[in-house]
Amino acid sequence: MKDHLKNRLKRTVILSLVAVVIGGGIGFFQAKDPKSRVVEKPSRLEPMAGIQVGGPFELIDENGQTVSDKDFSDVYKLIYFGFASCPAICPTELQKIAGTMKALPEEQADKVQPLFITIDPARDTVEVMHDYVALFYPRLKGLTGSQEQIDRVLKSYRVYASKVQDEGMSDYTMDHSSFIYLMSPDDRLLSMYRIQDTAEKMAQDVQARLTAQP
Ligand code: NI
């Protein structure tokens, strides 16, 4: 591995950890009711009460079709934000989503739609997304859109994403936070998985969450 890639990887990991700390401190644990700041620690099988991410979106899928949150209102979602030319973290996390899907019992896997949403719509065109998601899992959908559409969905999921141009690199790269979100059909956050969570652990948690739902 080349040094600049190593440094990049190191920096992405550090930034992700910083995002966890900052996100944990200010963003993710804000109560839905602004008057109530105290959020109980969620028990293992309860939704992450009080943590508000998600919301309406309109994007374009890997076949060029316009899709919105309404198209996914009858399924659970495993959502990851990244970019197709990411050297290390994004492919690893998408492989974990694929591993999770394959580890689920079939009747549960059928109820889960994995989604990859780009943070880099300028380069991640419909064609790029089409070829990229196919590398990981047949049912993985790849969503892109205009910069405005992407900015809106990044904000509602509290995703950190920033362009970086390093010396000696011909093109820019992106620094970004790295979480996999498990969302319920009605758009509640059920779990968030981090870089250190394995596909096996995720599959166990998804199974438990789906079993616990009415
Ligand atoms: Ni990445």
Side-chain angles (χ1 to χ4, degrees):
M1 195 184 260
K2 283 179 191 160
D3 264 1
H4 73 269
L5 280 180
K6 250 187 236 170
N7 287 338
R8 166 144 319 287
L9 185 59
K10 212 188 291 170
R11 187 162 64 182
T12 307
V13 169
I14 289 167
L15 275 169
S16 302
L17 291 175
V18 169
V20 169
V21 172
I22 295 172
I26 54 170
F28 289 104
F29 294 95
Q30 266 176 7
K32 275 183 186 172
D33 175 0
K35 280 173 283 182
S36 129
R37 288 278 166 168
V38 181
V39 178
E40 282 171 37
K41 197 176 167 198
S43 70
R44 221 182 90 73
L45 292 180
E46 277 172 17
M48 301 182 80
I51 303 177
Q52 196 172 23
V53 301
F57 62 78
E58 192 174 276
L59 295 166
I60 302 163
D61 75 7
E62 74 287 355
N63 299 312
Q65 301 296 314
T66 297
V67 293
S68 80
D69 54 297
K70 305 266 190 301
D71 293 305
F72 305 108
S73 60
D74 58 348
V75 284
Y76 294 85
K77 277 84 61 181
L78 272 174
I79 307 179
Y80 187 70
F81 294 86
F83 64 113
S85 46
C86 180
I89 306 290
C90 292
T92 308
E93 295 306 285
L94 291 172
Q95 268 159 18
K96 265 166 52 177
I97 288 181
T100 302
M101 294 300 297
K102 287 170 193 162
L104 288 174
E106 202 183 332
E107 70 274 15
Q108 286 197 332
D110 287 346
K111 294 181 192 163
V112 180
Q113 175 62 59
L115 297 176
F116 175 57
I117 303 179
T118 186
I119 59 169
D120 186 13
R123 290 185 300 192
D124 288 346
T125 59
V126 167
E127 292 73 22
V128 169
M129 293 296 271
H130 181 272
D131 293 347
Y132 189 65
V133 291
L135 299 172
F136 296 96
Y137 186 71
R139 281 208 300 114
L140 176 64
K141 289 195 79 63
L143 306 184
T144 185
S146 68
Q147 189 66 55
E148 290 70 27
Q149 288 173 318
I150 294 296
D151 286 346
R152 205 170 307 135
V153 72
L154 296 184
K155 194 175 172 201
S156 61
Y157 280 85
R158 299 166 192 246
V159 176
Y160 165 77
S162 179
K163 242 183 225 190
V164 181
Q165 181 85 57
D166 275 357
E167 267 178 67
M169 291 182 81
S170 55
D171 206 355
Y172 67 90
T173 182
M174 304 289 295
D175 279 334
H176 63 101
S177 53
S178 182
F179 297 102
I180 297 168
Y181 303 82
L182 175 66
M183 304 297 291
S184 68
D186 60 352
D187 214 27
R188 284 171 300 124
L189 177 66
L190 299 180
S191 280
M192 276 171 63
Y193 309 106
R194 299 177 164 82
I195 288 171
Q196 60 268 33
D197 294 327
T198 61
E200 191 188 11
K201 193 185 157 194
M202 283 174 53
Q204 282 170 5
D205 186 73
V206 171
Q207 238 180 301
R209 304 279 168 192
L210 266 62
T211 306
Q213 296 301 304

